[in-house]
Each structure stands twice: as structure tokens, then as C-alpha cells.
Amino acid sequence: MKKITILIHCKDQPGIIAAVTNFIASKKGNIVYIDQHVDQEQQVFFMRLEGEFKKASYNNSDFKSEFEKTLASNFKMNWELYTAAYRPKMALFVSKYDHCLYDILGRYKSGELTLDIPLIVSNHLELKPIADSFDIPFYHVPVSKATAVEAERKHLALLSEHQIDFIVLARYMQIIPEGIINKYLHKIINIHHSFLPAFVGAKPYHSAYKRGVKIIGATSHYVTAELDAGPIIEQDVTRVSHTHSINDLVSKGRDLEKIVLSTGIKLHLDRKVMVYNNKTVIFS
Amino acid sequence: MKKITILIHCKDQPGIIAAVTNFIASKKGNIVYIDQHVDQEQQVFFMRLEGEFKKASYNNSDFKSEFEKTLASNFKMNWELYTAAYRPKMALFVSKYDHCLYDILGRYKSGELTLDIPLIVSNHLELKPIADSFDIPFYHVPVSKATAVEAERKHLALLSEHQIDFIVLARYMQIIPEGIINKYLHKIINIHHSFLPAFVGAKPYHSAYKRGVKIIGATSHYVTAELDAGPIIEQDVTRVSHTHSINDLVSKGRDLEKIVLSTGIKLHLDRKVMVYNNKTVIFS
Amino acid sequence: MKKITILIHCKDQPGIIAAVTNFIASKKGNIVYIDQHVDQEQQVFFMRLEGEFKKASYNNSDFKSEFEKTLASNFKMNWELYTAAYRPKMALFVSKYDHCLYDILGRYKSGELTLDIPLIVSNHLELKPIADSFDIPFYHVPVSKATAVEAERKHLALLSEHQIDFIVLARYMQIIPEGIINKYLHKIINIHHSFLPAFVGAKPYHSAYKRGVKIIGATSHYVTAELDAGPIIEQDVTRVSHTHSINDLVSKGRDLEKIVLSTGIKLHLDRKVMVYNNKTVIFS
Amino acid sequence: MKKITILIHCKDQPGIIAAVTNFIASKKGNIVYIDQHVDQEQQVFFMRLEGEFKKASYNNSDFKSEFEKTLASNFKMNWELYTAAYRPKMALFVSKYDHCLYDILGRYKSGELTLDIPLIVSNHLELKPIADSFDIPFYHVPVSKATAVEAERKHLALLSEHQIDFIVLARYMQIIPEGIINKYLHKIINIHHSFLPAFVGAKPYHSAYKRGVKIIGATSHYVTAELDAGPIIEQDVTRVSHTHSINDLVSKGRDLEKIVLSTGIKLHLDRKVMVYNNKTVIFS
């Protein structure tokens, strides 16, 4: 069987679901998953659909051109179609913290993530031995005020050369320049170590400690030009108390960061995230 | 606008979604919600759909008979259709514990539950003053081995006389006889004060204490002939520790019971629960 | 047996615990609970201790004066002693939302809260029938720019007349003036319908919706002069998704607000909260 | 400064806390942490205490013999004293699942766990490459009915030779024989992939799926002779729904297993667990 995933968003109008499901049926496909969402405020329609076709009866480029002609152009759809064969290339950016790196590489080696990791990029050398022990090429690109332009050029070259589909900042402690953000819009996933929008910016565990919160969190989100303000993919939290020092918060937070970042990666990978109006629709 | 909700389950077959959505479109309806689930093991298809129609163009009995003729009979569907006007009648069964009763009546008075409560039934008299203060008729039906048959007869008469649609056991401490269960199958919601299937039966907090668990739970489920083994609607949990006595567990559990029972009631009320194979499909 | 609870805080110094426990032992008391915390940053020591004494051998004023003389003055302690007989008087302030009011009054009637509620105060008349049905005096004190001074005077008079120990703002939609805050410092508990410090101020559910968060929260805290910035007593959260409208957030939030506020009330009531440096120590 | 941790349990009696804290004070020590618990049902007293001493004034063997003579023998205490220098040796037992192994080794390399891992033991060869890449000796000890006695002999020899302090079963799929359990009582930590006591034994995710639970869990516990019935150290849970297949439960469960097992290891390592009456006291 040939399995495909279609993502659609467009202005909400009557009859979209019927038109799409009818189209699949007319092509002798079986719908194995359908979910839809309407943003009532913005009047935008979102759909995610998985279909199965007998291999003999499915031709990808025919399907796509006919879908565009009969459906998409009528409803003015933004749409994407993925075949199960798709296996994206992910770049990992790290600095000195190793917990997210170990977590992602462990999942990768376990076969939990169906992607390739052509390279790890870092502004420091400390984590090179980990990259080596997992047999992944490591590129050291130092970043400072003086070298910022040169670093961006090198980053873009590496990403392009390795045909990177999306980037994961696994506690990478540098601001991403707009040149990279714009080229990989909604394709850069960051983990922020707070329950956004609380504690934007540096040292959120220190701020959480000072404020005396009873719960701390972590947030994975797409990177946009405004710091820590991009579309949120996933959040999780854990209880803390007055007995926890800042170091305890850092330590408890590490597990949150790992889970929340890897969940974000998996949702992105499974094409379950749609971005609209700086928010995300997360399909089940 | 006329708003309707349709629930369907049948053997999984290609083309069901297209057929249903097409039917709605052909009647000039707009689908505002659609969700579907396929139990891959049992090959059963489930669907929940909400549609909107211009009042002038929608006739309920025409719609239903045509849906049956053109769709349901072909696919051998089990299906139900609800109009928004539906406001079910709920009977409350209680014994001596008052926390779930207060919680449900508070929500009812707040307008959180769109239903009617024609009566409260109890095997004890202790909670009559609460029923009185909320102006709800209270019926005292004592239950003992000797009076069991007579009690069942009275219960059935009260339920029938008040045209009860579904029953909520708000910590009612009696086994429901099969005569009532069969007449109201998957229409009796119980709250069990444990994380089922752990600690089936009486005194679950005592058992949880003895086993030294670190988390306790509560479960709302439909009542079936086998004790505490009916389809689970909702569960929730809370952390406990060695510092908690049995009384502490009872006290912490009260909040769980209230939330889990009222969530179960609301899901049932919104027609978001489908029962199949002693499990539930819970639509979002 | 005579049961007492002692709360202590002072500069951290060696020997405090030994001195206190020794004092209790010398008075033939048995320590049934002891917990202590040291804020390492501020070098402050906190202790909560519960002791039991044979009734014949315990004299409250003797104990207190000797504790002050032999212990407290040496260590420059701030300390309080409560006897189990203590049953505080709580004032409830409400506006138009009734869910927290129903929840608190249900718990109160169930015997879950060992306190008295001499009065309910509101700037509106809508909730008077609820106060009536629970037999609690209701005072209507309208608040507007023009009547602010008069309202504060009336509030202070009512609180004083009814010998109120602490105040609970159960979704009271007015800013508390500093005159009342200063008189009842760390004795006014508010429920804020967000996960503070995210979404300070009005309409937090709207802001949460706009930001697209995946988790919403509620916070109970002591009221201080700075809005929503007082010491946090308790927080809790629940998951939300893109499918939830603002109304859904409001609805899901109601249960959070009820639980988080009542937990805050119970912690305050059990003398398990100590405030220091705008944070709380919460004893188990 | 010399830092020590003392764990005590004995019959509950008046004056224990005073006697212990007084002893520490008399030795010029400063108590930096004290927590205590009384099991009211069994009348057993538990205490955990951390103290600091000037290095010059502390002699370990003197302290221990005097503590025994003046205190422990009077109160008939069971007690243990640990100095901060203690760095235990942990053996890892695995089979074919690698997620817990990757998680523990990642934490170990990150410096999160202050212990040594002298060896990994497995009844299969599949995970040897992971042991190799982390530079940890790997021992293959096949286990079958025929080789059970020989395997137990080899295990005991390996554990003894490497002076192992405690054993972690990181999804080791064999029953531990009583000979090993008795020698390492309350020193073998297992991860069970369910919310015990629900779903004891094999294939808990299958049972959870069949029962239609809405929450799944994981439990770390000490191994005792009765299967999955030993003292529970830690539990955690996550929500699931009808949309999750058995494979989805397995996948979601992996993260739970990792967190719950590593939390159990850390609590054991920090000497925060006391076992009594087949339950645990977990100090904060």
C-alpha cells in the first residue's frame, strides 16, 4: 500500500471536507486518519489527512496535479503532500550542555526518530567527544561579535551543503540571526527552559527561584525574529517547592527539557504541526 | 442555524467518510466538527460529526429517514442523531458522602451542566437537607437484603416516572442490580475512588495505603454487571507520599472524585462518548 | 492530650533545632511533627513543629513566656504558637462568578474547613441568593471611583466588627486598597486565573489563547501592593490545545481555580505557610 | 567541612528527636537537614539527618561508637551513617530494550549520577555495542531453564568480584532468583512498565490497552521474592486515549520508564529511601 499525508489550510468555507474526502474516494483511496480544525476567530480551516492507496493505482505527480487543479485552486488552499518515504535531515546545534544531546542521540540510535542527522554544529568544542562516540560529524563554528557575519555564512553553507530540512537547537546558547531564521522559517525548533511566556530570555531558573513559583516548565517552539516568542509546539511542567535551590531547579528542568524538545521534534517529524498566526495546530 | 450531532459506528470500510460528508454537503449543511477513529484490531469505524444547517432548509425527520435509506443501511451503521435542543434528565443516587453531591449541584446551579435533575435518590436520609436547599426532590429508598427487590421496583418506577435519561452514582454505596443495569446500559455513570483496575471493590484508599503507592486516582465509568469493570470514561491521579495517612488519602481523593465524575458527566452530556468492546472512544 | 503548633523563623545559626527540641522534651512534650528549612541565600532558618503534652502538665502562658525567655530572645526568633482550639474567622469577597463560592461553601458545609465564615462581601448583588441558601450573612458594598473611600471604610468596619482573621478573594474583581492590604498583610488570599508570573492582570485566558500556550494554570497568592506579585501559595495547571476556544479555557480554568484556591485556604488554615522575602515556605 | 548523613528507624518514643539533635550539637555539629516520619499504625519512627562538622573536630569511628553507646542502644535504633565520600558501585542488568540503558548512561556521562558502573550484565548480546561506545565492561550471561543455576552462580561471582553495592534492572527480562534477592535485599531496583498494582506481570501495555485505561504509568521498586510486589520507590503516569495503539502505549511508556527508573536510582543514591513493612519512606 502507498501511504500519503496531506496538510491543508485555507479560508473556512462550506464543503471543503466533503470535497477532499470525495476526491480521495474517487481515486480509490482509503482514509485512515482525518482531523480538522477551524479557527473561529480568524475563519481559517486546517486539515490533516492520511490515505492509503493500492500501489498500482497511485501516481504521485498525477495525484498532486489533479488535486491542485480540481480542489486546491478552487478553495485557494495552501497544501502539502508527504509520502511515507520521506526521511528528513536534521541539524543539531549545541553549546556546552549535553543532556538534550545525549537524549536525542539515544533516541536516534534506538530507532525512535526516523530521520538522519548529517551534522552537529557547536560554538564550543566540549561536546565533540559525544558526537564522535555516536559517529556523527561535528563542526566547530565559534560565534562572537567579531565573527558573527562569518559564522552565519558558515552555518548557511553547512546547512545547504548537507541539504538540511530542519534545525534543532538543543540548548544552543546563541541568538539565531534573521538571515537563518528567514531561510528556515518554522523549521528551527528551540527548547526554552521555562513555561513561556513566563521568564523570557536568559536565566529563567534564576527568575523562577526568585519569584517563588511552585511549578516550573519547559517549552519547545519555532524560532522567530522576536526572542522566545515563536509558535509554541509543546510545553510541560513539574512541581517544585521552597526546598529546591536554583541548582535543583536546573537539575529537575533537565528532564523536562529533554522530554519537551524530543516531543517537539517528533511532532514536527510526523507532520502533525501547522503554524498559523504565530500559534500551532497540533494534530493527534 | 440548526445544529446537529451525529454519532456513527460500523465495520470499517473504504469510503465511509466521503459518503457521510458528501451527504451533509448535498443537504447544504456545513460541517463544523468531524472526528473519526478506527479500532484497527476490531476493524470498527467510529465517527462524530457536528453540522450546521439553515433552519429553513433542515427537516429533522426527512433528514433522518434519508440518512438511513441512502447511507446507514448500505454501511450497516449504528447511528444516533441529536439536535441541540436535547436537554437530558439526570437522576442522582447518593448515600452519605456529600462532596460529589455539592460539586454537581454547584455546577448545575452555575449553569455549567445543560441538563435537568428531576430527583435525588438515596438509601439514607442524611443528605436530604442538601437536596432541600437546592430545591430538588429527594426520595428515600432504603436498601437491605430484605428490601432489595422492593427497592429495585421503586427505583425503576421513579426513573420511569421522571423519564430519566441517565443516572449518576455520586458515591452511592450499593451494588446496582442487573435489572436496572440492563435497562440503562451505558447510561449509569459511577465514580470509583481508585485508579482502576488497581484496587477494585471496597476500601480502595485502605488498599492504596497498604501497598504504599506514590500516586492515587479516581475513575468514572459506565456500570456493567461485573463490579468496577465497566467502560472507563475518565481517570485522574494525584501524588501522595508516606506522610499521608488513610484519612489524608480520603481527603485528597475527594477532589479527584469530584473532578473525574463531573468530567464524565460532561462528556456523556456532550455526546462525546462511544462505547465499544467494553472500552470508550472519547471525542475531543 | 494538648496539641500545639509552633512556627519559627530567624537568622540561621548552629544549635537551633537542638535547643528547640530539647526545650519540648524538658517540658515532657512529644514531638509529633518537625520540619525545617534553611534559605541558604538569605541565611534564614524556618521551622514548623507540632507537639503533644499531657493536659495536666501544659500551661499555655507559662510555656509561651518561658519559650520567649529561654529560647526566642537568644536566637532572636520570630515565632508564633497555635493551640488546636484555634478556629479562625474567614471573610469571603466575591463579585459575579459563583464557581469558587459554591466550591468553598460546599467544603465548609461538608466539614472540610475548620473555620467560621461570618460574612460574604460583594460589590454586586448577583450572588446574594447563594449566601442565603447557605445561611451566611451577605453584605453589598458597591465599589466605584466615586465610592472607593467609602467602600474601604465599610470593608474595614465589617472586617473589624466580625473579628475577621483572614480574607479570601473568591474571584473578587476589584483591586484591594493598600489600607486593607497593610492591615491584613499576608492574610488576604487571592486566586489569579493564570500560571503567574505569566499573564499578570486582566483577562489572562484571552492572553493565553492569543499566545497559543499548551498549558494553562491558576495561582493562589497573598495580596501585596504590587498587582499579582505577592507570595505564591499554590499553583496548578491543565493541558489545553488549539481546539479550545477562549470560552473553553475559561471553563477548564474554573476547576483549576477552585482546587488551587481551596488548597491555598487549607494550607493557610493549617498554619503550613510561612512568608519570607515575598516567597512562601510550605510545610508538608 | 565534613558532611554526614544519618538514617534512623526504631520504635516511636518520646524524646528521640531531642536526644539526636542534642548529640549533634554536643559534638559541635550543625544540622543542615532534618526530617522525620512516624508511622502511626505501626508506631515506628524514621529520621533522616544531615550534619556538618569542622573537619578537625570530627572523627568518624569515634562519632559512630559514641552514637551507638549513648543513643542507639538506649532507643534500640536501626541506624546507618554515610559520609559524603561514599560513591557506590552500581551494576546494570539489561536484555534487549535500550532506552533505559541509553538514558542511564547519558546521565552517568553527564555527571548527574555520582556513582561508578563497573559492569553491564545481559542475557543477550544485542546491547554490547552500546556498552562498548560508553567504555563499560559488558558480560554476557545467557539464562535459560537449563543454565539457571550456572547463571545465578556467575551473577553472584560478578557482583562480588566488582564489589557491587546495588543493582539496577533496566528492563532486564528475567526473574531474579531468591539467592540474589536475599543477598541484595532492598538493593535491587526494577522498573515495571505499569502503574502498580495494576497490571502485574508480563505485557502490561497490552493489558492496559485491553482495559481501555485513560492513563498509563510506570513504577520503580525494590525487588522482593513476590513478583512486582516489592516496596514502591517512585511512580509516574501519562495520559493516553482510544487513539493510541499498543505500540503507541509502548512508545509513550518508554519516556515514563526512563524518568521513573532514574528518579528511583537517584533517591536510592542520595540515601533518601527507607524501607519498612514493604513500603518506602521517601525523604525530600
Side-chain angles (χ1 to χ4, degrees):
Chain A
M1 297 292 273
K2 184 77 185 172
K3 207 169 167 181
I4 64 168
T5 301
I6 303 177
L7 296 178
I8 298 166
H9 74 94
C10 59
K11 194 179 171 312
D12 191 32
Q13 306 148 70
I16 310 178
I17 298 172
V20 174
T21 56
N22 222 32
F23 181 86
I24 302 289
S26 76
K27 298 291 155 201
K28 311 264 183 261
N30 189 25
I31 296 170
V32 293
Y33 169 94
I34 185 170
D35 201 0
Q36 125 293 350
H37 171 64
V38 174
D39 183 314
Q40 299 289 356
E41 244 187 9
Q42 310 274 339
Q43 286 299 307
V44 184
F45 173 89
F46 301 88
M47 179 185 261
R48 186 176 183 281
L49 182 146
E50 293 179 11
E52 276 180 352
F53 297 82
K54 289 209 180 97
K55 273 200 176 138
S57 70
Y58 182 86
N59 176 293
N60 203 42
S61 60
D62 287 1
F63 185 95
K64 286 173 82 167
S65 68
E66 204 170 333
F67 189 93
E68 178 61 39
K69 208 171 55 190
T70 20
L71 273 183
S73 59
N74 280 354
F75 288 104
K76 298 205 172 61
M77 290 175 181
N78 296 288
W79 68 288
E80 298 163 56
L81 186 150
Y82 300 92
T83 59
Y86 175 77
R87 184 179 175 93
K89 291 181 169 56
M90 173 175 87
L92 275 176
F93 278 50
V94 297
S95 290
K96 293 182 176 176
Y97 293 112
D98 58 5
H99 55 284
C100 286
L101 181 60
Y102 268 123
D103 185 66
I104 292 167
L105 295 180
R107 292 171 192 275
Y108 172 58
K109 289 287 179 187
S110 291
E112 195 179 316
L113 305 172
T114 51
L115 46 72
D116 293 318
I117 306 180
L119 79 167
I120 295 171
V121 178
S122 181
N123 55 332
H124 293 287
L125 278 164
E126 277 81 350
L127 304 188
K128 187 172 186 308
I130 302 177
D132 292 349
S133 77
F134 282 86
D135 285 325
I136 298 177
F138 180 93
Y139 293 86
H140 179 219
V141 183
V143 180
S144 66
K145 271 199 179 167
T147 66
V149 174
E150 171 62 9
E152 179 176 347
R153 202 196 51 76
K154 274 191 194 159
H155 284 153
L156 284 168
L158 282 169
L159 296 169
S160 168
E161 178 193 333
H162 290 87
Q163 298 176 280
I164 291 304
D165 292 293
F166 73 104
I167 302 162
V168 167
L169 311 181
R171 298 299 308 276
Y172 179 66
M173 308 303 275
Q174 291 290 329
I175 306 279
I176 303 296
E178 291 205 24
I180 298 179
I181 293 174
N182 292 336
K183 187 141 185 238
Y184 293 89
L185 192 60
H186 304 154
K187 290 178 177 170
I188 308 174
I189 301 174
N190 184 44
I191 179 71
H192 184 73
H193 41 314
S194 86
F195 183 83
L196 288 176
F199 311 127
V200 165
K203 295 197 174 275
Y205 293 128
H206 288 70
S207 306
Y209 177 82
K210 193 166 182 307
R211 182 63 187 90
V213 294
K214 301 304 183 189
I215 289 175
I216 58 168
T219 304
S220 59
H221 64 95
Y222 289 118
V223 175
T224 56
E226 189 183 340
L227 183 68
D228 298 332
I232 293 171
I233 307 171
E234 169 71 350
Q235 301 189 291
D236 204 356
V237 295
T238 194
R239 290 206 164 260
V240 295
S241 77
H242 64 274
T243 64
H244 293 97
S245 65
I246 292 176
N247 278 344
D248 293 333
L249 301 190
V250 168
S251 170
K252 291 201 78 164
R254 273 197 296 255
D255 280 353
L256 279 181
E257 295 166 29
K258 291 192 285 191
I259 298 286
V260 169
L261 179 53
S262 72
T263 302
I265 293 172
K266 282 191 273 187
L267 288 168
H268 182 89
L269 194 60
D270 295 345
R271 299 289 162 184
K272 293 192 168 168
V273 188
M274 293 185 75
V275 177
Y276 187 75
N277 210 22
N278 205 43
K279 303 203 289 188
T280 60
V281 172
I282 305 284
F283 289 108
S284 65
Chain B
M1 296 294 272
K2 184 76 185 172
K3 207 170 166 182
I4 65 167
T5 300
I6 303 177
L7 296 177
I8 298 166
H9 74 93
C10 59
K11 194 177 170 314
D12 190 32
Q13 307 148 69
I16 310 178
I17 299 172
V20 174
T21 56
N22 221 32
F23 181 85
I24 302 289
S26 76
K27 298 291 155 204
K28 312 266 184 257
N30 190 23
I31 296 170
V32 293
Y33 170 95
I34 185 170
D35 200 1
Q36 125 294 349
H37 172 64
V38 174
D39 183 316
Q40 300 289 356
E41 244 187 10
Q42 311 274 338
Q43 285 299 307
V44 185
F45 173 88
F46 301 87
M47 181 186 260
R48 185 176 185 280
L49 183 146
E50 293 178 11
E52 277 179 352
F53 297 82
K54 289 211 179 95
K55 274 202 175 137
S57 72
Y58 182 85
N59 176 292
N60 203 42
S61 60
D62 287 2
F63 185 95
K64 286 173 82 167
S65 67
E66 203 170 332
F67 189 93
E68 178 62 39
K69 206 170 57 190
T70 21
L71 273 183
S73 59
N74 279 354
F75 289 104
K76 296 203 172 64
M77 290 175 180
N78 296 289
W79 68 288
E80 299 163 55
L81 186 151
Y82 300 93
T83 59
Y86 174 77
R87 185 178 174 94
K89 291 181 169 57
M90 174 176 87
L92 275 176
F93 278 49
V94 296
S95 291
K96 293 181 175 176
Y97 292 113
D98 59 4
H99 55 284
C100 285
L101 181 60
Y102 267 123
D103 185 68
I104 292 167
L105 296 180
R107 291 171 192 274
Y108 172 58
K109 289 287 180 187
S110 291
E112 196 180 314
L113 305 172
T114 52
L115 47 72
D116 292 318
I117 306 179
L119 78 166
I120 294 171
V121 178
S122 182
N123 55 332
H124 294 286
L125 278 165
E126 276 82 350
L127 304 187
K128 187 172 187 307
I130 301 177
D132 292 350
S133 77
F134 282 86
D135 286 325
I136 298 178
F138 180 93
Y139 293 86
H140 179 219
V141 182
V143 180
S144 66
K145 270 200 180 165
T147 65
V149 174
E150 171 62 8
E152 179 175 347
R153 204 198 48 76
K154 274 192 195 158
H155 283 152
L156 283 169
L158 282 168
L159 296 170
S160 168
E161 177 191 333
H162 290 87
Q163 298 176 280
I164 290 305
D165 292 294
F166 73 105
I167 302 162
V168 167
L169 311 181
R171 297 299 309 276
Y172 179 66
M173 309 303 275
Q174 291 289 331
I175 305 278
I176 303 296
E178 289 204 27
I180 298 179
I181 293 174
N182 292 337
K183 186 138 185 242
Y184 293 89
L185 191 60
H186 304 154
K187 289 176 176 171
I188 308 175
I189 301 174
N190 184 44
I191 179 71
H192 184 74
H193 40 313
S194 85
F195 183 84
L196 287 176
F199 311 127
V200 164
K203 295 197 173 276
Y205 292 128
H206 288 71
S207 306
Y209 178 81
K210 191 164 183 306
R211 182 63 186 92
V213 293
K214 300 304 183 190
I215 289 174
I216 57 168
T219 305
S220 58
H221 64 95
Y222 289 117
V223 174
T224 55
E226 189 183 342
L227 184 67
D228 298 333
I232 293 170
I233 307 170
E234 169 71 349
Q235 302 189 290
D236 205 356
V237 295
T238 194
R239 288 204 166 263
V240 295
S241 77
H242 64 274
T243 63
H244 293 98
S245 65
I246 292 176
N247 279 344
D248 293 334
L249 300 191
V250 169
S251 170
K252 290 201 79 162
R254 274 197 295 255
D255 280 353
L256 279 181
E257 295 166 29
K258 292 192 285 191
I259 298 285
V260 170
L261 179 54
S262 72
T263 302
I265 293 172
K266 281 190 274 188
L267 288 169
H268 182 89
L269 195 59
D270 295 345
R271 300 287 162 184
K272 293 192 169 167
V273 188
M274 293 186 76
V275 177
Y276 187 76
N277 209 22
N278 205 43
K279 302 203 289 188
T280 60
V281 172
I282 306 285
F283 289 109
S284 65
Chain C
M1 297 294 275
K2 184 74 185 174
K3 208 170 167 181
I4 65 168
T5 300
I6 303 176
L7 295 177
I8 298 166
H9 74 92
C10 58
K11 194 178 170 313
D12 189 31
Q13 306 147 70
I16 310 178
I17 298 172
V20 174
T21 55
N22 222 31
F23 181 84
I24 302 291
S26 75
K27 297 293 155 202
K28 312 267 182 254
N30 189 25
I31 296 170
V32 293
Y33 170 94
I34 186 170
D35 200 1
Q36 123 295 349
H37 172 64
V38 174
D39 184 316
Q40 300 288 356
E41 244 187 8
Q42 310 275 338
Q43 284 300 307
V44 184
F45 173 89
F46 301 88
M47 179 185 261
R48 187 176 183 280
L49 182 148
E50 293 178 10
E52 276 180 353
F53 297 82
K54 290 209 179 98
K55 272 199 177 140
S57 71
Y58 182 84
N59 176 292
N60 203 42
S61 61
D62 287 2
F63 185 95
K64 287 173 82 167
S65 68
E66 203 171 334
F67 189 93
E68 178 60 40
K69 208 170 58 189
T70 19
L71 274 183
S73 59
N74 279 354
F75 288 105
K76 296 204 172 65
M77 291 176 178
N78 295 289
W79 68 287
E80 299 163 56
L81 186 151
Y82 300 93
T83 60
Y86 175 77
R87 185 178 175 94
K89 291 181 167 59
M90 174 176 87
L92 276 176
F93 278 50
V94 297
S95 289
K96 293 182 176 177
Y97 292 114
D98 58 5
H99 55 285
C100 286
L101 181 61
Y102 267 123
D103 186 65
I104 292 167
L105 295 180
R107 291 171 193 274
Y108 172 58
K109 288 287 181 190
S110 291
E112 195 178 315
L113 305 172
T114 51
L115 46 71
D116 293 317
I117 305 180
L119 80 167
I120 295 172
V121 179
S122 182
N123 55 331
H124 294 287
L125 276 163
E126 277 81 350
L127 304 188
K128 188 174 185 307
I130 302 177
D132 292 350
S133 77
F134 282 86
D135 286 324
I136 298 178
F138 181 92
Y139 294 86
H140 180 220
V141 182
V143 180
S144 67
K145 268 198 182 168
T147 65
V149 174
E150 172 63 8
E152 179 175 348
R153 203 197 49 75
K154 273 193 196 159
H155 283 152
L156 284 169
L158 282 167
L159 296 169
S160 168
E161 179 192 331
H162 290 86
Q163 298 177 280
I164 291 303
D165 292 294
F166 73 105
I167 302 162
V168 167
L169 311 180
R171 297 298 310 275
Y172 179 66
M173 308 303 274
Q174 291 290 330
I175 306 277
I176 303 297
E178 290 205 25
I180 298 180
I181 292 175
N182 292 335
K183 187 140 184 240
Y184 293 89
L185 191 60
H186 304 154
K187 289 177 177 170
I188 307 175
I189 301 174
N190 184 44
I191 179 71
H192 184 74
H193 40 314
S194 86
F195 183 83
L196 287 176
F199 311 128
V200 164
K203 296 197 173 275
Y205 293 128
H206 289 70
S207 306
Y209 177 82
K210 192 165 183 306
R211 181 63 187 91
V213 293
K214 301 304 182 190
I215 289 174
I216 57 168
T219 305
S220 59
H221 64 95
Y222 290 117
V223 175
T224 55
E226 190 184 341
L227 184 67
D228 298 333
I232 293 171
I233 308 171
E234 169 70 350
Q235 302 189 292
D236 205 357
V237 296
T238 194
R239 289 206 165 261
V240 295
S241 77
H242 64 275
T243 64
H244 293 98
S245 65
I246 292 177
N247 278 345
D248 293 333
L249 301 191
V250 168
S251 171
K252 290 201 77 163
R254 275 198 294 256
D255 280 352
L256 279 182
E257 295 166 28
K258 291 192 286 192
I259 298 286
V260 169
L261 179 54
S262 73
T263 302
I265 294 172
K266 282 192 273 187
L267 288 169
H268 182 89
L269 194 60
D270 294 345
R271 299 290 164 184
K272 292 190 169 170
V273 187
M274 294 185 75
V275 177
Y276 187 78
N277 210 20
N278 205 44
K279 303 203 291 188
T280 60
V281 172
I282 306 285
F283 289 108
S284 66
Chain D
M1 296 296 273
K2 183 77 187 172
K3 209 170 166 181
I4 64 168
T5 301
I6 303 177
L7 296 177
I8 299 167
H9 75 92
C10 59
K11 193 177 173 312
D12 189 30
Q13 307 148 68
I16 310 178
I17 298 172
V20 173
T21 56
N22 222 31
F23 181 85
I24 303 290
S26 75
K27 299 290 154 203
K28 311 268 183 255
N30 189 25
I31 296 170
V32 293
Y33 170 94
I34 186 169
D35 200 359
Q36 122 297 349
H37 172 63
V38 174
D39 183 315
Q40 299 289 356
E41 245 188 9
Q42 310 275 338
Q43 286 299 307
V44 184
F45 173 88
F46 301 87
M47 180 186 262
R48 186 176 184 280
L49 182 147
E50 293 178 11
E52 276 179 352
F53 297 82
K54 289 209 181 97
K55 272 200 176 139
S57 71
Y58 182 86
N59 175 293
N60 203 42
S61 61
D62 286 2
F63 185 95
K64 287 174 81 166
S65 68
E66 204 170 332
F67 189 93
E68 178 62 40
K69 206 170 57 190
T70 18
L71 274 182
S73 59
N74 280 355
F75 288 105
K76 297 204 171 65
M77 290 174 179
N78 296 290
W79 68 288
E80 298 163 56
L81 187 150
Y82 300 93
T83 60
Y86 175 77
R87 186 180 174 93
K89 291 181 168 57
M90 174 175 89
L92 275 176
F93 278 50
V94 297
S95 290
K96 292 181 176 176
Y97 293 113
D98 59 4
H99 55 285
C100 286
L101 181 61
Y102 267 124
D103 185 66
I104 292 168
L105 295 181
R107 291 170 193 274
Y108 172 58
K109 289 287 181 187
S110 291
E112 196 179 315
L113 305 172
T114 52
L115 46 72
D116 293 318
I117 306 180
L119 80 166
I120 295 171
V121 178
S122 181
N123 55 332
H124 294 287
L125 277 163
E126 276 81 351
L127 304 188
K128 186 172 186 309
I130 302 177
D132 291 349
S133 77
F134 282 87
D135 286 326
I136 297 178
F138 180 92
Y139 293 86
H140 179 221
V141 182
V143 180
S144 65
K145 268 199 181 164
T147 65
V149 173
E150 171 63 7
E152 180 176 347
R153 203 197 49 76
K154 273 192 195 158
H155 284 152
L156 284 168
L158 282 168
L159 296 169
S160 167
E161 178 191 333
H162 290 86
Q163 297 176 280
I164 291 305
D165 292 294
F166 73 105
I167 302 162
V168 167
L169 310 181
R171 298 298 311 275
Y172 179 65
M173 309 303 274
Q174 292 289 330
I175 306 278
I176 303 295
E178 290 205 26
I180 298 179
I181 293 175
N182 292 337
K183 186 136 186 245
Y184 293 89
L185 191 61
H186 304 154
K187 290 178 177 169
I188 308 174
I189 301 175
N190 184 43
I191 179 71
H192 185 73
H193 40 313
S194 86
F195 183 82
L196 288 176
F199 311 128
V200 165
K203 295 197 175 274
Y205 292 128
H206 288 70
S207 306
Y209 177 81
K210 191 164 185 307
R211 182 62 187 93
V213 293
K214 301 303 184 190
I215 288 174
I216 58 167
T219 305
S220 59
H221 64 95
Y222 289 117
V223 174
T224 55
E226 190 183 342
L227 185 67
D228 297 333
I232 293 171
I233 307 171
E234 170 71 351
Q235 302 189 293
D236 204 357
V237 295
T238 194
R239 289 205 165 262
V240 296
S241 77
H242 64 274
T243 64
H244 293 98
S245 65
I246 292 177
N247 278 344
D248 292 335
L249 301 191
V250 169
S251 170
K252 291 201 77 162
R254 275 199 293 256
D255 279 353
L256 278 182
E257 295 165 29
K258 291 191 285 191
I259 298 286
V260 169
L261 179 54
S262 72
T263 303
I265 293 172
K266 282 191 273 188
L267 288 169
H268 182 89
L269 194 60
D270 294 345
R271 299 289 162 185
K272 293 191 170 170
V273 189
M274 293 185 76
V275 178
Y276 186 77
N277 210 20
N278 205 43
K279 302 203 291 188
T280 60
V281 172
I282 305 285
F283 289 107
S284 65

